[in-house]
Amino acid sequence: PTAEIESHHLLFSFAASSKLRIKTADISNAYFQGEQLDRLLLMRPPKGGIPDPVYEDGETMILARVPIYGTQDAGRKFWKKFSFVIKDSGFRENKIAKAMYVIEVDGKVMGIMVTHVDDLCWAIFPGYEDRIQRVLDSFSVRKIEEGEFRFCGKEIKQLPDFSIVVTCKDTTETINPLCYSVDGRRQDDDATEAEIGQMRSVVGSLGWIARQCRPGLSYMVSKLQGVVSKAKIKDLKEANQAVGMAKEDSHIGITYK
Protein backbone atom coordinates (compact mmCIF):
# COMPACT_ATOMS: atom_id res chain seq x y z
CA PRO A 1 0.00 0.00 0.00
CA THR A 2 0.98 3.61 -0.57
CA ALA A 3 -0.42 6.63 1.23
CA GLU A 4 -3.31 8.42 -0.44
CA ILE A 5 -3.08 12.10 -1.40
CA GLU A 6 -5.44 12.92 1.48
CA SER A 7 -2.92 11.43 3.90
CA HIS A 8 -0.23 13.70 2.49
CA HIS A 9 -2.49 16.70 3.03
CA LEU A 10 -3.17 15.63 6.62
CA LEU A 11 0.55 15.30 7.33
CA PHE A 12 1.40 18.71 5.86
CA SER A 13 -1.45 20.36 7.76
CA PHE A 14 -0.50 18.61 11.01
CA ALA A 15 3.16 19.64 10.72
CA ALA A 16 2.44 23.27 9.85
CA SER A 17 -0.29 23.84 12.45
CA SER A 18 1.71 22.07 15.18
CA LYS A 19 4.90 23.94 14.21
CA LEU A 20 6.86 20.75 13.63
CA ARG A 21 9.68 20.18 11.19
CA ILE A 22 8.71 17.85 8.36
CA LYS A 23 11.31 15.35 7.17
CA THR A 24 11.72 12.65 4.56
CA ALA A 25 13.93 9.60 4.10
CA ASP A 26 14.60 7.20 1.26
CA ILE A 27 15.40 3.53 1.91
CA SER A 28 18.09 2.29 -0.47
CA ASN A 29 17.75 -1.05 -2.32
CA ALA A 30 14.48 -1.58 -0.50
CA TYR A 31 13.60 -5.00 -1.90
CA PHE A 32 16.93 -6.43 -0.77
CA GLN A 33 15.92 -5.43 2.76
CA GLY A 34 12.64 -7.31 2.78
CA GLU A 35 11.80 -10.56 4.52
CA GLN A 36 13.83 -13.59 3.50
CA LEU A 37 12.27 -15.70 0.78
CA ASP A 38 10.30 -18.76 1.85
CA ARG A 39 10.75 -20.40 -1.57
CA LEU A 40 13.66 -21.53 -3.71
CA LEU A 41 14.75 -18.96 -6.27
CA LEU A 42 17.70 -19.80 -8.53
CA MET A 43 19.05 -17.32 -11.07
CA ARG A 44 21.32 -17.92 -14.04
CA PRO A 45 24.06 -15.29 -14.53
CA PRO A 46 23.85 -13.18 -17.72
CA LYS A 47 25.73 -14.27 -20.81
CA GLY A 48 29.43 -13.64 -20.38
CA GLY A 49 29.18 -14.12 -16.64
CA ILE A 50 29.64 -11.48 -13.96
CA PRO A 51 32.89 -9.93 -12.61
CA ASP A 52 33.41 -12.59 -9.94
CA PRO A 53 35.68 -15.64 -10.35
CA VAL A 54 33.05 -17.89 -8.78
CA TYR A 55 30.57 -17.11 -11.56
CA GLU A 56 32.85 -16.40 -14.50
CA ASP A 57 31.86 -19.65 -16.22
CA GLY A 58 28.38 -18.21 -16.73
CA GLU A 59 26.81 -21.52 -15.69
CA THR A 60 27.01 -21.48 -11.89
CA MET A 61 23.55 -20.70 -10.52
CA ILE A 62 22.90 -18.00 -7.91
CA LEU A 63 20.64 -18.72 -4.94
CA ALA A 64 18.56 -15.68 -3.96
CA ARG A 65 18.09 -15.23 -0.23
CA VAL A 66 16.04 -12.02 -0.33
CA PRO A 67 13.39 -10.68 -2.76
CA ILE A 68 14.59 -9.62 -6.20
CA TYR A 69 13.01 -6.70 -8.04
CA GLY A 70 10.71 -8.00 -10.76
CA THR A 71 9.60 -11.16 -8.96
CA GLN A 72 5.98 -11.45 -7.88
CA ASP A 73 6.61 -11.46 -4.14
CA ALA A 74 9.35 -8.81 -4.01
CA GLY A 75 7.12 -5.88 -3.09
CA ARG A 76 5.09 -7.95 -0.65
CA LYS A 77 8.13 -9.24 1.23
CA PHE A 78 9.54 -5.74 1.66
CA TRP A 79 6.20 -4.33 2.75
CA LYS A 80 5.62 -7.04 5.36
CA LYS A 81 8.95 -6.31 7.03
CA PHE A 82 8.54 -2.55 6.65
CA SER A 83 5.05 -2.59 8.18
CA PHE A 84 6.16 -4.82 11.06
CA VAL A 85 9.13 -2.58 11.93
CA ILE A 86 6.97 0.58 11.86
CA LYS A 87 4.34 -0.90 14.18
CA ASP A 88 6.96 -2.45 16.44
CA SER A 89 8.55 1.00 16.80
CA GLY A 90 5.45 2.47 18.41
CA PHE A 91 3.35 3.64 15.44
CA ARG A 92 -0.27 2.68 14.80
CA GLU A 93 -1.61 2.29 11.26
CA ASN A 94 -4.72 4.31 10.49
CA LYS A 95 -7.69 2.00 9.93
CA ILE A 96 -9.06 4.04 7.02
CA ALA A 97 -6.00 5.63 5.43
CA LYS A 98 -3.58 2.80 4.73
CA ALA A 99 0.15 3.55 4.79
CA MET A 100 -0.43 6.42 7.22
CA TYR A 101 0.86 5.82 10.74
CA VAL A 102 0.44 7.83 13.93
CA ILE A 103 1.97 8.04 17.37
CA GLU A 104 -0.94 8.42 19.76
CA VAL A 105 -0.55 9.16 23.48
CA ASP A 106 -3.61 9.54 25.74
CA GLY A 107 -5.79 10.28 22.72
CA LYS A 108 -3.45 12.97 21.34
CA VAL A 109 -1.55 12.56 18.08
CA MET A 110 2.14 13.13 18.72
CA GLY A 111 3.38 12.25 15.26
CA ILE A 112 2.30 11.26 11.75
CA MET A 113 4.22 9.36 9.10
CA VAL A 114 3.18 8.44 5.57
CA THR A 115 4.93 5.95 3.30
CA HIS A 116 5.18 5.55 -0.45
CA VAL A 117 6.88 2.22 -1.20
CA ASP A 118 10.39 2.96 0.17
CA ASP A 119 9.95 6.69 0.84
CA LEU A 120 8.95 8.07 4.24
CA CYS A 121 7.71 11.50 5.26
CA TRP A 122 6.96 12.45 8.85
CA ALA A 123 6.52 15.12 11.52
CA ILE A 124 6.88 14.24 15.21
CA PHE A 125 6.73 16.15 18.47
CA PRO A 126 9.97 16.42 20.49
CA GLY A 127 10.37 13.51 22.87
CA TYR A 128 9.10 10.93 20.38
CA GLU A 129 11.84 11.08 17.75
CA ASP A 130 13.27 7.83 19.05
CA ARG A 131 10.37 5.96 17.44
CA ILE A 132 11.18 7.11 13.93
CA GLN A 133 14.86 6.55 14.66
CA ARG A 134 14.10 2.89 15.41
CA VAL A 135 12.53 2.58 11.97
CA LEU A 136 15.48 4.26 10.25
CA ASP A 137 18.00 2.14 12.15
CA SER A 138 16.30 -1.04 10.90
CA PHE A 139 17.10 -0.27 7.25
CA SER A 140 19.87 1.13 5.12
CA VAL A 141 18.73 4.70 4.44
CA ARG A 142 20.11 6.64 1.49
CA LYS A 143 19.44 10.13 2.86
CA ILE A 144 17.32 12.15 5.28
CA GLU A 145 16.15 15.60 4.22
CA GLU A 146 14.21 18.45 5.77
CA GLY A 147 13.34 22.05 4.96
CA GLU A 148 13.17 21.60 1.18
CA PHE A 149 12.85 18.32 -0.70
CA ARG A 150 10.81 16.30 -3.21
CA PHE A 151 8.27 13.69 -2.17
CA CYS A 152 6.07 11.71 -4.56
CA GLY A 153 6.65 14.13 -7.43
CA LYS A 154 5.94 17.22 -5.36
CA GLU A 155 8.26 19.99 -4.19
CA ILE A 156 7.95 20.47 -0.44
CA LYS A 157 9.32 23.63 1.18
CA GLN A 158 8.96 24.50 4.84
CA LEU A 159 9.41 28.16 5.72
CA PRO A 160 10.96 29.55 8.94
CA ASP A 161 7.46 30.08 10.42
CA PHE A 162 6.78 26.32 9.92
CA SER A 163 4.25 26.88 7.11
CA ILE A 164 4.61 24.40 4.25
CA VAL A 165 4.38 25.19 0.53
CA VAL A 166 3.62 22.29 -1.81
CA THR A 167 4.09 22.74 -5.56
CA CYS A 168 4.40 20.56 -8.68
CA LYS A 169 6.49 22.95 -10.74
CA ASP A 170 8.85 20.43 -12.32
CA THR A 171 6.09 17.96 -13.19
CA THR A 172 3.90 20.72 -14.65
CA GLU A 173 6.64 22.00 -16.90
CA THR A 174 7.24 18.55 -18.39
CA ILE A 175 3.69 18.34 -19.81
CA ASN A 176 3.81 18.78 -23.57
CA PRO A 177 0.85 20.32 -25.41
CA LEU A 178 -1.09 18.26 -27.93
CA CYS A 179 0.48 18.11 -31.37
CA TYR A 180 -2.23 18.36 -34.03
CA SER A 181 -2.99 20.15 -37.26
CA VAL A 182 -6.27 21.80 -38.20
CA ASP A 183 -5.68 21.52 -41.98
CA GLY A 184 -9.04 22.98 -42.93
CA ARG A 185 -10.98 21.00 -40.34
CA ARG A 186 -13.80 22.76 -38.52
CA GLN A 187 -13.91 23.22 -34.77
CA ASP A 188 -16.77 20.70 -34.49
CA ASP A 189 -15.01 18.00 -36.52
CA ASP A 190 -14.04 14.81 -34.69
CA ALA A 191 -10.48 14.38 -33.44
CA THR A 192 -8.53 11.35 -34.64
CA GLU A 193 -7.84 8.37 -32.38
CA ALA A 194 -4.19 9.44 -32.12
CA GLU A 195 -5.24 12.94 -31.09
CA ILE A 196 -7.66 11.54 -28.51
CA GLY A 197 -4.84 9.40 -27.13
CA GLN A 198 -2.68 12.48 -26.72
CA MET A 199 -5.54 14.30 -25.04
CA ARG A 200 -6.09 11.47 -22.55
CA SER A 201 -2.44 11.65 -21.53
CA VAL A 202 -2.49 15.43 -21.13
CA VAL A 203 -5.75 15.44 -19.16
CA GLY A 204 -4.46 12.65 -16.94
CA SER A 205 -1.32 14.65 -16.13
CA LEU A 206 -3.33 17.80 -15.42
CA GLY A 207 -5.69 15.80 -13.21
CA TRP A 208 -2.79 14.48 -11.14
CA ILE A 209 -1.44 18.00 -10.62
CA ALA A 210 -4.89 19.34 -9.71
CA ARG A 211 -5.32 16.67 -7.03
CA GLN A 212 -1.84 17.18 -5.61
CA CYS A 213 -1.61 20.95 -5.27
CA ARG A 214 -3.52 22.88 -7.95
CA PRO A 215 -7.25 22.71 -7.11
CA GLY A 216 -7.81 25.73 -9.36
CA LEU A 217 -7.33 23.44 -12.37
CA SER A 218 -10.05 21.02 -11.26
CA TYR A 219 -12.93 22.55 -13.22
CA MET A 220 -11.01 22.57 -16.49
CA VAL A 221 -9.81 19.01 -15.90
CA SER A 222 -13.32 17.79 -15.12
CA LYS A 223 -14.70 19.46 -18.25
CA LEU A 224 -12.03 17.91 -20.47
CA GLN A 225 -12.48 14.47 -18.91
CA GLY A 226 -16.16 14.62 -19.84
CA VAL A 227 -15.49 15.12 -23.57
CA VAL A 228 -12.22 13.30 -24.17
CA SER A 229 -13.80 10.06 -25.46
CA LYS A 230 -15.58 11.97 -28.23
CA ALA A 231 -13.24 14.93 -28.52
CA LYS A 232 -13.65 17.57 -31.20
CA ILE A 233 -11.01 19.89 -32.61
CA LYS A 234 -12.23 22.62 -30.25
CA ASP A 235 -11.59 20.30 -27.30
CA LEU A 236 -7.98 19.76 -28.37
CA LYS A 237 -7.55 23.51 -28.47
CA GLU A 238 -9.06 23.84 -25.01
CA ALA A 239 -6.77 21.13 -23.64
CA ASN A 240 -3.74 23.05 -24.90
CA GLN A 241 -5.09 26.20 -23.29
CA ALA A 242 -5.32 24.30 -20.00
CA VAL A 243 -1.69 23.19 -20.35
CA GLY A 244 -0.66 26.79 -21.01
CA MET A 245 -2.60 27.95 -17.97
CA ALA A 246 -0.98 25.32 -15.76
CA LYS A 247 2.54 26.13 -16.97
CA GLU A 248 2.07 29.88 -16.67
CA ASP A 249 1.48 29.50 -12.92
CA SER A 250 3.57 26.37 -12.36
CA HIS A 251 5.08 27.94 -9.24
CA ILE A 252 1.67 28.13 -7.55
CA GLY A 253 0.65 25.45 -5.08
CA ILE A 254 -0.95 24.96 -1.67
CA THR A 255 0.32 26.62 1.49
CA TYR A 256 -0.36 24.96 4.85
CA LYS A 257 -0.23 27.14 7.98
Side-chain angles (χ1 to χ4, degrees), residues 158-252:
Q158 189 163 35
L159 304 180
D161 64 354
F162 293 95
S163 60
I164 297 173
V165 180
V166 180
T167 59
C168 294
K169 187 175 187 296
D170 288 350
T171 304
T172 301
E173 293 179 353
T174 61
I175 302 176
N176 294 318
L178 283 76
C179 182
Y180 70 97
S181 176
V182 176
D183 285 336
R185 292 187 291 176
R186 295 173 299 178
Q187 291 296 300
D188 287 330
D189 284 348
D190 293 337
T192 66
E193 287 298 320
E195 291 166 344
I196 289 176
Q198 285 189 71
M199 184 174 172
R200 287 187 192 279
S201 177
V202 166
V203 174
S205 297
L206 290 173
W208 185 88
I209 292 168
R211 292 192 301 274
Q212 297 290 338
C213 66
R214 296 285 300 278
L217 297 174
S218 298
Y219 171 76
M220 183 68 76
V221 169
S222 178
K223 183 179 179 183
L224 293 171
Q225 287 174 335
V227 300
V228 66
S229 61
K230 298 181 179 179
K232 308 291 185 181
I233 297 299
K234 62 181 181 181
D235 299 320
L236 303 181
K237 180 180 179 181
E238 196 163 351
N240 276 350
Q241 290 175 341
V243 172
M245 184 189 308
K247 287 189 172 184
E248 184 177 356
D249 295 322
S250 62
H251 62 286
I252 292 178

Side-chain angles (χ1 to χ4, degrees), residues 59-78:
E59 295 296 328
T60 302
M61 302 295 283
I62 302 173
L63 173 63
R65 181 178 60 83
V66 294
I68 303 297
Y69 183 80
T71 56
Q72 292 182 345
D73 51 0
R76 181 64 177 168
K77 287 294 184 181
F78 168 70

